[in-house]
Amino acid sequence: GASKFWDTPLDTWYYGPIAYNATEGFMKGYADASGKLTGSCGPANPTLRIEALAMDMRLVNIPVGDDDVLSTDVPGVPEWGIPIVNGALKAGVEFDWTLRMDEPITRIESMTLLSHILEGKEYITFPESVDQAAEYKDYASFEGNADGALAVEAMTGLGIVKGSSDGNLYPDANLVRSEFAAMNQRVVNALGIE
């Protein structure tokens, strides 16, 4: 079979997660200025906050909102992202809405966003304390971020996040689109989301 995206060869580790996300409608790939899909999904590109929000909302069927104007002031929202943000706000999605949505999402931000979305849809209960997350070698770099540390705990406890082979989480590193696709697929597998 052929890949849906020209930049996702069949012989890469990320082909499976990206193909799964595309088939399920979580990941749509890039479009040009006219809105036509280009056939690229940018597997090595950083995932933008607005892209992460859109894919997480699709993952758990949070509907989009109005597309005419933002219901509140959220910086860096592209025109296509207005209904995404409005839907998230209407659904009560917890996120730091002061962050620019057109900038890359970090690993810890993505885990926090996803954990709150899953909690809001009652797929998980947000943990009350940190246990497994404290085992990452770089835990000291995020232990002061209480919400983030609890999100890491939730994602680690479910087996969705495992950290790197050197024992670090690298919480402030950008999450690339192939990694985001793999995380989404693990969420579906771990929680049986349909």
Side-chain angles (χ1 to χ4, degrees):
S3 175
K4 178 175 179 170
F5 301 111
W6 63 263
D7 54 359
T8 307
L10 299 175
D11 62 349
T12 58
W13 73 264
Y14 51 82
Y15 169 77
I18 287 176
Y20 173 80
N21 277 263
T23 300
E24 295 298 318
F26 307 144
M27 181 179 275
K28 299 184 185 279
Y30 290 124
D32 63 19
S34 71
K36 181 181 176 194
L37 292 176
T38 64
S40 168
C41 77
N45 295 351
T47 307
L48 302 180
R49 291 182 183 110
I50 189 66
E51 294 168 341
L53 178 62
M55 288 185 270
D56 283 348
M57 288 174 61
R58 292 179 196 129
L59 183 74
V60 296
N61 297 311
I62 295 175
V64 298
D66 296 331
D67 63 0
D68 52 353
V69 65
L70 279 173
S71 59
T72 190
D73 187 28
V74 178
V77 178
E79 188 174 332
W80 67 265
I82 292 172
I84 303 294
V85 172
N86 284 339
L89 292 168
K90 185 175 182 181
V93 171
E94 284 186 53
F95 191 63
D96 182 352
W97 296 108
T98 65
L99 298 172
R100 288 195 59 85
M101 298 303 285
D102 58 353
E103 292 181 352
I105 195 165
T106 65
R107 291 170 182 241
I108 199 160
E109 288 171 0
S110 68
M111 288 180 254
T112 303
L113 173 63
L114 181 58
S115 294
H116 283 302
I117 285 176
L118 293 173
E119 179 187 38
K121 294 293 278 186
E122 299 182 355
Y123 284 106
I124 67 168
T125 301
F126 214 68
E128 295 180 13
S129 62
V130 173
D131 179 33
Q132 292 176 326
E135 295 177 19
Y136 290 109
K137 288 182 180 177
D138 55 358
Y139 174 66
S141 70
F142 65 90
E143 73 177 313
N145 176 348
D147 199 39
L150 292 173
V152 171
E153 181 68 24
M155 296 293 101
T156 301
L158 291 168
I160 294 164
V161 174
K162 297 177 173 58
S164 66
S165 59
D166 66 4
N168 289 296
L169 183 66
Y170 299 108
D172 296 323
N174 294 334
L175 190 69
V176 298
R177 290 171 59 87
S178 55
E179 294 168 332
F180 195 88
M183 193 166 77
N184 270 358
Q185 188 175 24
R186 285 187 213 120
V187 167
V188 171
N189 292 341
L191 300 176
I193 295 174
E194 296 179 18

